[in-house]
Amino acid sequence: MLSAIQNLQPRQLITQVINFALILSTAFMLWKGLSIATDSPSPIVVVLSGSMEPAFQRGDLLFLWNRGQETQIGEVVVYNVKGKDIPIVHRVVRRFGGGEEPLHLLTKGDNNNADDTELYARGQSYLNRADDIIGSVKGYIPTVGYVTIMLSEHPWLKTVMLGMMGALVVLQRE
């Protein structure tokens, strides 16, 4: 593989590196465009636990929508807890306020015995719809997200995968 890179003319090598950079920037632009269209900082998330079984399984890929803030009881939402980076996918079981007042929500996993008040930030007994909710689930693809789970559970796989992608782009002949 190293000899193949050495055999490339400088112009070909630069072209391949630019192609790789274009692929990465296109993916980034698509993600940002989707974020703007859905009004969600993370328009696609992966289910990481079994707390929403049987509705969603670990590894399901969820599509979120965050336009229109009238979240109803029974709706599945994704939220972030202040101070934690992992989004949580749970169902709304109670709502408080709305209209002129800020909308507050209480959530619970379908497979959990208790509501989520223990998961919320210290001193928080409900979620503020405008501040805490990333989006409502509008669709999903089963098991596709397992790739992401594998990459996060085994960080060395990420390096191998990126290396292979980079090598394929550089070594690809046009």
Side-chain angles (χ1 to χ4, degrees):
M1 180 169 68
L2 190 58
S3 64
I5 293 173
Q6 290 172 342
N7 289 338
L8 287 175
Q9 298 295 324
R11 188 177 204 137
Q12 289 175 317
L13 184 61
I14 289 170
T15 302
Q16 296 300 358
V17 169
I18 289 173
N19 282 341
F20 187 63
L22 285 172
I23 290 169
L24 291 178
S25 64
T26 301
F28 178 74
M29 286 188 294
L30 286 172
W31 180 261
K32 282 301 181 187
L34 200 53
S35 294
I36 292 168
T38 62
D39 195 27
S40 175
S42 186
I44 299 172
V45 296
V46 175
V47 177
L48 299 175
S49 75
S51 67
M52 279 303 291
E53 291 180 358
F56 301 112
Q57 310 293 319
R58 186 171 192 252
D60 288 354
L61 191 69
L62 306 179
F63 299 97
L64 307 183
W65 186 261
N66 201 30
R67 296 202 178 272
Q69 306 247 339
E70 282 304 311
T71 304
Q72 301 301 317
I73 293 174
E75 196 170 320
V76 178
V77 296
V78 178
Y79 66 90
N80 268 338
V81 175
K82 292 174 181 84
K84 297 180 184 172
D85 282 342
I86 299 173
I88 299 172
V89 180
H90 282 172
R91 191 176 304 277
V92 174
V93 292
R94 292 195 62 193
R95 54 179 270 154
F96 311 93
E100 297 295 317
E101 298 177 35
L103 180 58
H104 297 120
L105 307 169
L106 180 65
T107 57
K108 177 186 172 296
D110 290 357
N111 203 20
N112 295 350
N113 294 327
D115 62 40
D116 291 347
T117 50
E118 294 295 319
L119 297 176
Y120 300 158
R122 179 172 289 177
Q124 187 178 11
S125 54
Y126 50 81
L127 298 171
N128 184 316
R129 174 63 178 94
D131 298 334
D132 300 320
I133 303 296
I134 297 173
S136 298
V137 176
K138 295 300 178 188
Y140 76 103
I141 301 175
T143 66
V144 173
Y146 262 109
V147 173
T148 325
I149 293 173
M150 293 301 294
L151 291 174
S152 63
E153 288 180 354
H154 307 287
W156 60 270
L157 274 176
K158 203 179 298 184
T159 306
V160 169
M161 189 179 209
L162 283 173
M164 287 174 41
M165 287 172 43
L168 284 172
V169 168
V170 170
L171 297 176
Q172 174 188 352
R173 301 277 180 179
E174 289 186 18

